[in-house]
Amino acid sequence: MTCTDVVTLGNRVNAPGISDSAFAIFDERGTVVAWTMAAERLVGYAAGDVVGLSAARVLPSFGDAPSMSDFTRQRVAEDGWPGTASVTHRDGRIIDVSLRITMLRGLNGATRWLATLTDTGALSGDATSGSVWGPLLARAPIGVVIRDPQLRCVFANDVMEEHDGIPAARRLGRRFVDVLAGPKAGALETVMRQVLESGTTKVHEYRTWLPVSKGREHPFAASFHCLQGTDGESLGVCVISADVVESRLARERLAAVGEASARLGSTLDVMQTSQELADLAVPLLADYVAVDLEQSVPFSEGPPARIDPAGGRLPVLRRAGLASIHPGTAESVWVRGEPVSVPPRSPFASVLSTGRSHLEPILDTAPGIWFDQDPALAARIRTNGVHSLMVVPIRARRALLGVVLFIRTADPEPFQEVDLLLAEELVGRAAVALDNARQYAREHTAALTLQRNLLPRRLKGGTAVEAASRYLPADMDHGVGGDWFDVIPLSGARVALVVGDVVGHGLHAAATMGTLRAAVRTLADMELPPAELLHRLDDTVQRLVEEDTDPADQTPAVVGATCLYAVYDPATRECVMARAGHPPPAIVDREGRVTFPDLPTGAPLGIGLGDPFEAVELELPEGSLIALYTDGLIESRDGDIEEGMHRLGTALAEPDRSLEELCTLATASLPAHAPSDDVTLLLVRTLSLGAAQVASWTLPCDESAVRHARRLAAAQLTAWGLDGIEHSAKLLVSELVTNAVRHGAGPIGLRLIRHQALTCEVSDTDVCVPRLRSARATDENGRGLFLVGQLSRRWGSRSADGGKVVWAELDLASARA
């Protein structure tokens, strides 16, 4: 299809198929004429809120475009592929989406435009699948048909004729059963009627005969979406179909690339990693692959080359990986380890100067072409029948590490854009491994420890926060440092945030970092307040100093660290923070105002001053941004800390951006040269639990409290629709309240929190920590906490003002009977 037929915009389509997308119909002027429930779920607007209004209501980039045709042409000219698109949610949020716009043709030359929107933040499954499957799906042609309430075709795109062989002139104005005989047509119309009546989406896979040119029965997956008007009435059904065979092949190739590339980086030897890349790509993507590294990479001779679009001197390449379907790699002029010449005005020169990939589906082999500048190369290309090629740069952190050449000889199919996407994904994974190998060859053990064992692979903020992070290791001369960060789920939907920095660099700093991160997690599980946790952590560091001291000369080991620890409660929106010699956090409100709270500094851990740490309690509005970082982000060789904090605040003062974008902005503001210290940034955006998710009561400390607590809990669970766990919850409440009555003296607090689990909390005035014990057969008491442990997925206690809180959690999987 041409760009006037279909325009695809957006970074990525993260949904694995068209059935997960939202759809809207526009007329030529850009007015919304039909809406779907999936669109309402995505942007918050019901059909009555947007039908009849301009596309600019939800699509800011539409602006003052005079027509949808003009808008699509403008976006192709400005963005090409991939472009970007954002939609405005009803609550004012900006959502990044993948947007695909398809032109539909109707009777008498009428046109409509179908917009397909997929939330790029709804990534699920493997990251590789999410980042590449979207562009693959977006490039695949999809068929679209709009049918009225009587199921007559009123609009369709040109692709539908390729899918079922029915020309537009025969399709328009007719029902499906009128143009395609047989039971399948009737069955599909039955599905359409169900969609019209229910307003939901149905997915159906069917087989149909392709046009004569393709010759055989072919399977297609179709999704049926109810289109709604201003008052929510059903205007018709939108049928979206995609080729199942092409989709399945793309998935299989993508899965193969993901599985293969996961094996990259098993070694810190750049030559071996390059050979692994070549071996993985043949025959998966190509018949022959050559990996050429910029010569500083395999030999660590200075920093790698920077991409130079101005056309400066090209870097020197050295062949590092080589693979072919033919024995002896007859296609190659150079063997591994040899320098590789780059012909001027060749695709290689273009890729090295621009940093962008080159795709040449049909290689021009006429005399005088670029490779004729090197007779030996020209002879190999013509002799071996090279007919299609791709050249992909190996890039990492704005540095050019080399290029990878993919060619086809025996495979008659030319490379396509889909192949280029897969090649770029594979090379991108290899680039990370190569950069790690080059940067940390001197301390590979520390690097592996840091990346695999110390830093969290996924940040789980639960219902308390959204989280994102960046970690940039120091340059190779300074070695790996001791930065770490963590997001630790706590009881009652709360979350702990921590960032720390161990003094020094190298293996010792990395090992100490691992010890402290494990210690913080252990102390966090004990539900210690921030100030007390830092006190315990200080004791841990001092013990490490004593253990590392050389007994021969009593020279104390250099061990120390800074740390900031915070606990955020989404039920109260309170955040309690304490720090030990660490830079203060940055807090950004919804209007973009940046503050650095005045927290007591505290002494660094391990100094042994004995001064108590002090905590500060802050109430944060929902949507506040908290930035925790190490001094590598704000210190530089040329500027002071105040300047660095101002630079960080400026980068974060855009609260409407996503956390990933803000991480990129904050780290991109660093000086261009490699950092001399690790750079760590943890960003969290606070969430809150609404009144409908929390219920709390105060009970008297007498025997009536247990009965009253059970009734309150049962009524609340019914209101929440959690009848399936009512019995277990009432037992938990009974045991916890009974213990509070038995051991406390003042009022008893009961709180239920519905989040990712159901949390039952009981507070009392007794400071003694409950302990599980084994009751003998003749004992009348001592089995309450054992029952709590059996019923709940986990339980515990924490100190509170004037007493303690005992809590237990129940899974919600079986909550609805």
Side-chain angles (χ1 to χ4, degrees), residues 402-486:
V403 296
V404 183
L405 169 66
F406 301 83
I407 67 173
R408 281 182 176 168
T409 55
D411 187 344
E413 291 292 326
F415 287 122
Q416 301 176 7
E417 289 188 4
V418 166
D419 300 302
L420 183 60
L421 280 171
L422 296 174
E424 288 176 336
E425 175 67 18
L426 189 59
V427 172
R429 293 245 180 152
V432 174
L434 289 168
D435 187 52
N436 287 339
R438 181 197 167 276
Q439 285 286 82
Y440 317 119
R442 296 180 184 178
E443 294 187 336
H444 63 278
T445 303
L448 292 175
T449 302
L450 181 66
Q451 294 180 5
R452 296 180 181 178
N453 300 326
L454 304 183
L455 299 182
R457 297 185 180 182
R458 291 189 299 171
L459 300 175
K460 298 180 180 180
T463 55
V465 297
E466 299 172 354
S469 64
R470 284 291 186 279
Y471 172 74
L472 302 178
D475 60 61
M476 192 172 69
D477 291 334
H478 292 82
V480 175
D483 288 10
W484 90 93
F485 62 92
D486 219 341

Side-chain angles (χ1 to χ4, degrees), residues 722 724-725 755-758 793 810-817:
L722 302 180
I725 57 173
H755 52 111
Q756 293 174 330
L758 176 70
R793 71 176 188 179
L810 286 173
D811 283 316
L812 297 181
S814 58
R816 293 173 176 82

Side-chain angles (χ1 to χ4, degrees), residues 498-546:
V498 61
V499 63
D501 187 2
V502 175
V503 172
H505 296 83
L507 295 173
H508 187 265
T512 303
M513 171 177 58
T515 301
L516 295 187
R517 179 171 181 254
V520 169
R521 278 196 160 260
T522 300
L523 296 172
D525 287 342
M526 296 171 63
E527 302 277 4
L528 297 177
E532 185 177 349
L533 183 141
L534 291 181
H535 174 73
R536 300 282 189 92
L537 193 62
D538 184 40
D539 290 341
T540 299
V541 177
Q542 291 187 50
R543 286 197 300 271
L544 290 175
V545 173
E546 295 171 359

Side-chain angles (χ1 to χ4, degrees), residues 38 82 89-90 114 127 220 229 305 316 346 381 392 405 444 483 490 499 516 535 556 565 574 585 630 669 759 806:
H89 194 274
R90 184 169 187 166
L114 173 75
F220 289 87
V316 177
S346 68
I381 288 177
V392 178
L405 169 66
H444 63 278
D483 288 10
L490 301 176
V499 63
L516 295 187
H535 174 73
Y565 185 82
E574 292 177 351
T630 55
S669 66
T759 300
V806 185

Side-chain angles (χ1 to χ4, degrees), residues 249-537:
L249 289 175
R251 286 178 183 273
E252 291 173 354
R253 296 188 65 196
L254 178 59
V257 168
E259 181 181 355
S261 60
R263 302 198 300 270
L264 287 170
S266 60
T267 174
L268 291 176
D269 185 324
V270 295
M271 296 293 286
Q272 183 173 339
T273 300
S274 299
Q275 187 58 45
E276 287 177 353
L277 172 59
D279 292 336
L280 290 174
V282 174
L284 180 62
L285 287 177
D287 298 330
Y288 166 85
V289 170
V291 182
D292 298 332
L293 297 181
E294 196 268 329
Q295 71 172 8
S296 69
V297 176
F299 298 107
S300 299
E301 298 173 353
R306 296 286 172 174
I307 297 171
D308 183 13
R313 183 177 179 182
L314 294 176
V316 177
L317 300 179
R318 192 173 294 271
R319 183 134 298 173
L322 199 59
S324 172
I325 61 173
H326 302 115
T329 59
E331 302 92 333
S332 181
V333 178
W334 302 280
V335 299
R336 294 184 69 206
E338 286 187 342
V340 176
S341 64
V342 178
R345 300 182 304 279
S346 68
F348 302 94
S350 174
V351 170
L352 290 171
S353 61
T354 64
R356 292 193 296 269
S357 300
H358 174 84
L359 169 63
E360 198 163 342
I362 307 299
L363 179 63
D364 185 1
T365 58
I369 200 65
W370 57 268
F371 51 75
D372 280 332
Q373 302 169 66
D374 187 328
L377 178 61
R380 297 294 178 99
I381 288 177
R382 293 191 172 97
T383 300
N384 289 280
V386 177
H387 64 85
S388 186
L389 67 81
M390 299 184 295
V391 183
V392 178
I394 308 173
R395 296 172 298 182
R397 294 191 292 176
R398 302 188 300 274
L400 181 65
L401 303 184
V403 296
V404 183
L405 169 66
F406 301 83
I407 67 173
R408 281 182 176 168
T409 55
D411 187 344
E413 291 292 326
F415 287 122
Q416 301 176 7
E417 289 188 4
V418 166
D419 300 302
L420 183 60
L421 280 171
L422 296 174
E424 288 176 336
E425 175 67 18
L426 189 59
V427 172
R429 293 245 180 152
V432 174
L434 289 168
D435 187 52
N436 287 339
R438 181 197 167 276
Q439 285 286 82
Y440 317 119
R442 296 180 184 178
E443 294 187 336
H444 63 278
T445 303
L448 292 175
T449 302
L450 181 66
Q451 294 180 5
R452 296 180 181 178
N453 300 326
L454 304 183
L455 299 182
R457 297 185 180 182
R458 291 189 299 171
L459 300 175
K460 298 180 180 180
T463 55
V465 297
E466 299 172 354
S469 64
R470 284 291 186 279
Y471 172 74
L472 302 178
D475 60 61
M476 192 172 69
D477 291 334
H478 292 82
V480 175
D483 288 10
W484 90 93
F485 62 92
D486 219 341
V487 177
I488 307 171
L490 301 176
S491 63
R494 300 172 306 137
V495 67
L497 313 171
V498 61
V499 63
D501 187 2
V502 175
V503 172
H505 296 83
L507 295 173
H508 187 265
T512 303
M513 171 177 58
T515 301
L516 295 187
R517 179 171 181 254
V520 169
R521 278 196 160 260
T522 300
L523 296 172
D525 287 342
M526 296 171 63
E527 302 277 4
L528 297 177
E532 185 177 349
L533 183 141
L534 291 181
H535 174 73
R536 300 282 189 92
L537 193 62

